[in-house]
Amino acid sequence: MTTPALPRRRRPRTVRQLTAGRGVYVVLGAAVLLSLFPLYWTLVAASRTNTEIHQMPPVLLPGGRLWHNITQVFVQTDLRLAMINSLIVASTVTASVVLTSTLGGFAFAKLRFRGRNPLLASVVATMMVPTQLGIIPLYIMMANWFHWADHLQALIVPAAANAFGLFFMRQYLIGAVPDELLDAGRMDGCTTRGLVWHVVLPAARPAMSVLGMLTFMAAWNDFYWPKVVMTQQNPTVQLTLSELASGYIKDYSLVLTGALVASAPVLVAFLLMGRQIIDGIMQGATKG
């Protein structure tokens, strides 16, 4: 009599851990070097003369004229005033956009009111309108109605709120703030203003950092609208850089020196908010 064969017990599958091999590190290292090379070469060009940066083979090491070129940029242009103006505009626009987008995003994400969906659709639809289409009406309003031409208000007020920021915060707050948490807060007697202060703002901090960084960079690098409404007597950074690049004979070493100096505030802002920005991007990636 033969005993029936027992079924084989399956070995539990071992969980394969994803580990980065040498190839991944090589690819990532090459990507980082390629990303940083334009900034490094800007530093090289800013520390050389205009003749040296045009010679072949190209120079790849920094020279000794960096401080001389920085001094010449500030002597030949009003870069100090331009940086102050850009810092005022970018900081004010960033604070305004983050605040209005967070409050508006919370209203569209968690509050119930009549006409919410059509109103949200109309806000999103404004993102489809090209910027160039509204330049002339906007200039007429700023110059003739408010007499703000060549004033910083003309740069701040039109950019104080935007549809992208509002939609971005609305999408984030839908998942970041559970409805049960808001209901519990209301049952404890917390008002809507209290919920915003104690629940919404702490939960939205990573997304607010990401939106703040994107808004600051956009306001700092904006060239088209300042070129229309501002003059060289009251410039922004981008207008001053365009002045350096004008003329029959262009000194590219000074142009790149100005670009290097103009990049410093953006790099400082990224270093100050880097951790919050990375956390916000990672949370958005895992939720997506």
Side-chain angles (χ1 to χ4, degrees):
M1 183 176 179
T2 58
T3 57
L6 295 176
R8 290 184 177 179
R9 297 181 61 183
R10 294 183 177 178
R11 293 181 179 178
R13 291 184 177 178
T14 58
V15 179
R16 297 182 60 187
Q17 295 182 348
L18 295 177
T19 57
R22 293 181 179 178
V24 176
Y25 285 109
V26 171
V27 173
L28 292 178
V32 170
L33 291 178
L34 288 175
S35 301
L36 293 178
F37 183 75
L39 182 61
Y40 171 74
W41 199 82
T42 301
L43 173 63
V44 172
S47 60
R48 297 276 184 170
T49 64
N50 193 39
T51 305
E52 288 175 336
I53 63 177
H54 285 91
Q55 70 184 18
M56 296 299 292
V59 291
L60 295 176
L61 295 176
R65 293 176 57 88
L66 179 61
W67 296 115
H68 177 268
N69 288 341
I70 291 176
T71 304
Q72 287 301 311
V73 169
F74 280 94
V75 169
Q76 296 184 16
T77 63
D78 204 350
L79 186 59
R80 190 188 308 275
L81 174 63
M83 293 190 70
I84 292 174
N85 285 343
S86 289
L87 192 61
I88 293 173
V89 172
S91 302
T92 308
V93 168
T94 300
S96 177
V97 167
V98 171
L99 179 62
T100 56
S101 299
T102 304
L103 297 179
F106 168 68
F108 280 116
K110 297 298 177 180
L111 300 183
R112 301 290 182 269
F113 55 91
R114 183 178 298 177
R116 185 182 68 165
N117 291 334
L119 187 59
L120 177 62
S122 63
V123 171
V124 174
T126 60
M127 290 191 292
M128 311 299 174
V129 180
T131 304
Q132 294 79 3
L133 197 62
I135 286 295
I136 294 178
L138 185 59
Y139 180 79
I140 292 175
M141 291 174 60
M142 293 295 113
N144 297 341
W145 294 10
F146 303 111
H147 304 287
W148 284 352
D150 203 23
H151 289 76
L152 296 184
Q153 299 94 309
L155 302 179
I156 295 173
V157 174
N162 62 57
F164 168 76
L166 194 149
F167 185 71
F168 176 80
M169 293 305 300
R170 185 251 183 193
Q171 294 300 106
Y172 182 85
L173 291 175
I174 286 178
V177 181
D179 294 337
E180 295 78 7
L181 187 60
L182 298 177
D183 295 337
R186 290 193 179 93
M187 291 179 66
D188 289 340
C190 192
T191 61
T192 302
R193 185 180 303 174
L195 290 174
V196 171
W197 182 256
H198 295 290
V199 178
V200 176
L201 291 182
R205 191 176 301 166
M208 293 168 67
S209 299
V210 175
L211 179 62
M213 189 66 208
L214 295 176
T215 305
F216 186 87
M217 289 179 58
W220 185 269
N221 294 327
D222 190 16
F223 173 75
Y224 187 48
W225 175 237
K227 182 68 174 177
V228 173
V229 77
M230 304 297 285
T231 65
Q232 291 294 346
Q233 284 70 39
N234 193 24
T236 62
V237 165
Q238 306 306 325
L239 293 182
T240 301
L241 294 181
S242 69
E243 182 185 2
L244 276 174
S246 62
Y248 185 73
I249 300 176
K250 299 179 179 60
D251 191 338
Y252 288 102
S253 62
L254 292 184
V255 174
L256 292 174
T257 302
L260 185 67
V261 174
S263 302
V266 180
L267 295 176
V268 171
F270 181 78
L271 292 177
L272 292 177
M273 298 189 298
R275 184 175 180 180
Q276 293 287 337
I277 293 170
I278 294 174
D279 288 345
I281 293 175
M282 291 302 296
Q283 290 185 20
T286 53
K287 288 176 182 177

